[in-house]
Amino acid sequence: MLTTLSTQQRAIIDPKGQNILKACPGSGKTYTVACKLAYLMDSWTHRNAGIAALSFTNVANEEIQAKLAEHSIVPSYPHFFGTLDSFINKWIFLPYGHLVMGCNSRPNIVGIGENGWELPLAWNWGKAYQECWGKNCNLLNFTYNETGELINTNQLLNKDTCPYEMARCTELKKRFTQAGLATQSDTAYWAMRILNDFPVVAKALASRFPVLIIDEAQDTSHVQMKIVDLLVQNGLSEASLIGDPDQAIYEWRNANPAIFLEKYYDSGWNSLDLTENRRSSQLICNATHPFSSLKEPAMAVGNASNCKTTPILLMYKAESEEELLKDRLKEFCNENSIEISPDLVAILCRGNTGLRRVLKVEKNNVSPWNDEITRYFAQAVYYRDIKNHKDAMTCVDTALRKIFYGTNAHRINYVETEINKTMGMEAWKIMRWSILKHAPATTLAIETWKTQMQILIKTVLIKEVEMKYKRTTLKTRSVASFFVKAQSEDIMVETIHASKGKTYDAVMVVISNRGKGTVKQIAQLTPADEELRNIYVAMTRPRKLLIVAIPANTAQKDLLRFPKGVWEYISLKANAEGESKNS
């Protein structure tokens, strides 16, 4: 693998100590990480100490492992490959959380994405705090910053802006903690406390994993970076952080690219750079440069580097022409001899609203999913139909836990004990699989799907349970339309966040004149603003053809980042000869 690396990429392989690598889009940083891991694992001699190779998503981690598998390298004991969250959970929070939380037993992680659970009855605002509910404060969004202060990650409320000085949420969070419960946002804080208050744990972990490598490190929070610092202080032999602050698009999850840059400029860390773009053409690198913090455009060195297709600024009439964008992208691909398939061509939108307009999915302001159990079943079947079997099984399991165990569904140990006592885990698995296997397809209309699902539930469940399907007037809408994330026919249509880390031959980025990330907003932002970084991530996905579609009524003063010459201005309905819009 090392023979395929550039001089810049090789620089990250050998250094020991603390290293931080700042990489531009398309620089092959994930491949470089895989090469470094292969190099380390090939000469690894420790029997009971290993490498912790971490990223921020399962997709990114699976990509690293896939690249290693191409060279017949399969990570195994004593190494740990996974997400940063899973590392924190397994090695710090779950075994030692009780030491700092004040609970009497091993804590549980609850919340979205975790095992099925319901909020304890004590976990509510109460009549005296109805204004909290009115402000849509969600207690699941409350967590702790690095100083232990309770914060609201969604609305950024603090004691100065909260009419109750956060008294009720502080009280409820204390009860939550004493019950041994923590959301995924909480676990990093408690892990930081454990390593800080019990240095013996930090020393043991640094000994167990003397080498720590974190990909996508621009997405770390202050608390997560403090965990890295504590491990370094307690004997970690080598730490390598790899990322691109211009691609940090998870600030809503407490990520802060400034933390990465602080380390990059810290004299105690060895700073390295990858400035060669091995993905995109030089014309695309030049066009996207004004959206980044790079001093100079990245140097294109890959197979597409000499592609001569000028990036296109496509003007469309908002709303009335959005549904035509997909067909126009196909025309551009045909003109440039680009094969049309969902693996090679994509339309990227800022959010689900944009996806629905481009995909012509009907609008809906009323959700039929009034019953939580129904939604879990529907989502399970949707995941099944798009071949995401792992998440499908999790959703079925969650729905069944709620049916059988109600308010105790979040108590994982209790539920498993009850299952073993009443029917046995094997019977539970058979029941779970039978529902998933025979559930009606999500292409059916809701009314039909609901009726068939009710029959199946009564047939399969060991004890009959009436599903509480609420009535809805949306009887003709398909179940799948409520879970629009990415739909593939001949091209991929997905959100910018879903496209992170992917590569396509051609990409159209659709920008609306409403909501977040409008052209007017983009014109006023800097790379320190997350909305500009969102657009930058989207624009750096293609190899050969980049199209940015913007409303035709955009003011000329808002197009300073799209200079003519670097961008070709075209009207959506330009004729085949390439009629341009120059005003």
Side-chain angles (χ1 to χ4, degrees):
M1 294 177 73
L2 297 183
T3 58
T4 62
L5 295 178
S6 68
T7 302
Q8 284 189 347
Q9 290 173 323
R10 282 178 175 272
I12 192 63
I13 302 298
D14 293 322
K16 307 298 181 183
Q18 283 69 59
N19 308 291
I20 186 159
L21 175 66
K22 183 154 70 86
C24 73
S27 59
K29 65 179 179 61
T30 301
Y31 182 74
T32 305
V33 170
C35 288
K36 182 176 179 67
L37 288 167
Y39 173 75
L40 290 171
M41 292 168 68
D42 184 59
S43 58
W44 197 259
T45 58
H46 304 285
R47 294 183 60 185
N48 297 308
I51 303 164
L54 313 177
S55 190
F56 277 81
T57 64
N58 287 315
V59 172
N61 187 264
E62 289 165 4
E63 183 182 354
I64 292 174
Q65 294 197 49
K67 292 185 183 301
L68 290 173
E70 291 174 4
H71 297 271
S72 301
I73 300 172
V74 180
S76 59
Y77 182 87
H79 309 301
F80 179 88
F81 279 57
T83 63
L84 181 57
D85 283 340
S86 66
F87 178 79
I88 289 171
N89 295 345
K90 179 175 181 177
W91 296 99
I92 310 174
F93 173 73
L94 288 174
Y96 304 111
H98 63 284
L99 298 177
V100 290
M101 294 177 69
C103 53
N104 296 323
S105 60
R106 180 184 175 95
N108 278 321
I109 304 170
V110 294
I112 297 172
E114 296 300 330
N115 290 288
W117 74 300
E118 291 184 0
L119 294 170
L121 295 177
W123 187 238
N124 61 76
W125 293 114
K127 293 182 179 179
Y129 293 88
Q130 287 303 307
E131 189 173 347
C132 298
W133 182 262
K135 287 179 177 290
N136 295 317
C137 284
N138 186 339
L139 286 167
L140 294 178
N141 293 326
F142 284 87
T143 188
Y144 305 96
N145 63 17
E146 67 277 13
T147 64
E149 179 186 6
L150 191 65
I151 57 172
N152 186 332
T153 58
N154 187 37
Q155 299 183 18
L156 301 179
L157 289 178
N158 54 46
K159 290 183 179 179
D160 296 328
T161 58
C162 174
Y164 307 116
E165 296 184 339
M166 299 180 71
R168 182 59 171 162
C169 51
T170 300
E171 176 189 349
L172 293 175
K173 196 71 173 180
K174 184 177 179 180
R175 293 186 192 176
F176 202 58
T177 299
Q178 291 174 342
L181 303 176
T183 64
Q184 188 60 70
S185 298
D186 296 336
T187 60
Y189 168 75
W190 293 120
M192 180 195 74
R193 283 276 310 276
I194 292 163
L195 298 183
N196 184 72
D197 297 355
F198 299 90
V200 64
V201 175
K203 292 181 185 298
L205 193 58
S207 177
R208 174 65 179 83
F209 296 104
V211 175
L212 176 67
I213 298 175
I214 302 180
D215 189 21
E216 303 290 353
Q218 77 276 353
D219 292 324
T220 48
S221 67
H222 281 287
V223 172
Q224 291 167 334
M225 191 62 81
K226 180 65 175 176
I227 290 173
V228 174
D229 289 338
L230 287 166
L231 291 174
V232 170
Q233 294 168 19
N234 284 279
L236 193 68
S237 298
E238 180 179 342
S240 294
L241 308 181
I242 301 96
D244 178 6
D246 287 333
Q247 295 189 74
I249 57 174
Y250 292 103
E251 283 193 13
W252 53 272
R253 220 167 53 182
N254 278 348
N256 187 343
I259 304 167
F260 180 89
L261 289 172
E262 286 175 10
K263 282 284 184 288
Y264 179 78
Y265 293 111
D266 187 335
S267 60
W269 287 71
N270 179 32
S271 299
L272 304 163
D273 295 272
L274 289 181
T275 59
E276 297 172 340
N277 189 317
R278 308 168 80 84
R279 173 193 295 146
S280 304
S281 70
Q282 189 61 57
L283 293 177
I284 292 177
C285 291
N286 295 342
T288 57
H289 173 249
F291 296 82
S292 74
S293 63
L294 297 173
K295 294 180 180 179
E296 300 291 339
M299 181 183 297
V301 297
N303 294 331
S305 59
N306 293 321
C307 178
K308 301 302 181 183
T309 305
T310 302
I312 295 170
L313 192 66
L314 185 67
M315 308 290 193
Y316 71 97
K317 292 181 181 178
E319 296 185 2
S320 64
E321 292 185 350
E322 281 178 322
E323 63 182 32
L324 304 177
L325 293 174
K326 192 175 177 184
D327 291 335
R328 192 68 179 99
L329 174 57
K330 294 179 190 176
E331 292 176 14
F332 283 123
C333 289
N334 289 329
E335 292 168 8
N336 289 278
S337 301
I338 294 174
E339 179 185 348
I340 298 174
S341 79
D343 295 327
L344 299 175
V345 181
I347 293 179
L348 306 182
C349 303
R350 176 63 183 83
N352 284 331
T353 300
L355 288 187
R356 296 187 191 283
R357 289 199 294 262
V358 172
L359 290 168
K360 306 177 190 178
V361 174
E362 61 270 42
K363 291 184 178 181
N364 169 53
N365 295 320
V366 182
S367 173
W369 310 117
N370 294 318
D371 180 73
E372 191 178 16
I373 296 172
T374 308
R375 181 180 176 86
Y376 274 116
F377 276 130
Q379 194 156 14
V381 181
Y382 170 73
Y383 281 139
R384 180 202 66 185
D385 289 353
I386 63 172
K387 311 301 182 185
N388 184 350
H389 299 298
K390 180 181 178 181
D391 287 342
M393 197 62 75
T394 298
C395 287
V396 169
D397 191 68
T398 299
L400 291 174
R401 284 168 179 263
K402 288 178 176 295
I403 288 173
F404 281 94
Y405 303 106
T407 56
N408 289 314
H410 71 282
R411 296 170 58 188
I412 300 168
N413 295 334
Y414 167 82
V415 168
E416 291 180 351
T417 300
E418 290 300 308
I419 290 174
N420 284 319
K421 283 196 316 187
T422 56
M423 69 185 78
M425 190 58 70
E426 192 62 32
W428 177 273
K429 291 179 180 178
I430 291 172
M431 177 179 63
R432 185 176 61 183
W433 173 248
S434 182
I435 290 175
L436 189 61
K437 180 180 179 180
H438 298 291
T442 54
T443 52
L444 295 176
I446 288 175
E447 189 73 3
T448 305
W449 183 88
K450 177 185 70 174
T451 302
Q452 292 187 18
M453 194 65 184
Q454 283 176 318
I455 295 171
L456 174 65
I457 294 299
K458 290 182 178 182
T459 303
V460 173
L461 288 190
I462 290 177
K463 61 178 183 180
E464 285 195 3
V465 178
E466 286 289 341
M467 297 296 294
K468 300 175 183 177
Y469 289 93
K470 303 285 184 174
R471 291 186 175 274
T472 174
T473 57
L474 303 169
K475 296 182 180 180
T476 59
R477 185 170 177 184
S478 71
V479 175
S481 67
F482 287 93
F483 302 100
V484 173
K485 290 185 179 178
Q487 292 192 10
S488 304
E489 295 173 2
D490 41 8
I491 65 175
M492 176 66 74
V493 183
E494 62 186 352
T495 63
I496 294 172
H497 282 81
S499 74
K500 183 97 165 24
K502 296 182 181 178
T503 296
Y504 296 98
D505 278 353
V507 165
M508 175 185 284
V509 183
V510 180
I511 301 178
S512 176
N513 56 7
R514 294 178 299 172
K516 296 181 179 180
T518 65
V519 184
K520 183 175 182 179
Q521 291 171 348
I522 292 169
Q524 301 169 353
L525 301 177
T526 71
D529 297 296
E530 187 176 20
E531 280 306 323
L532 187 65
R533 297 197 298 270
N534 270 294
I535 300 301
Y536 181 65
V537 165
M539 291 168 55
T540 53
R541 297 308 96 200
R543 295 185 183 94
K544 303 174 182 178
L545 174 62
L546 169 62
I547 304 168
V548 175
I550 66 171
N553 60 356
T554 300
Q556 192 67 35
K557 64 182 178 63
D558 294 330
L559 298 177
L560 295 180
R561 282 194 165 96
F562 299 94
K564 291 179 179 178
V566 176
W567 292 83
E568 181 181 1
Y569 284 42
I570 295 180
S571 168
L572 177 65
K573 294 187 176 179
N575 60 32
E577 283 71 38
E579 176 188 352
S580 298
K581 176 175 179 176
N582 296 311
S583 58

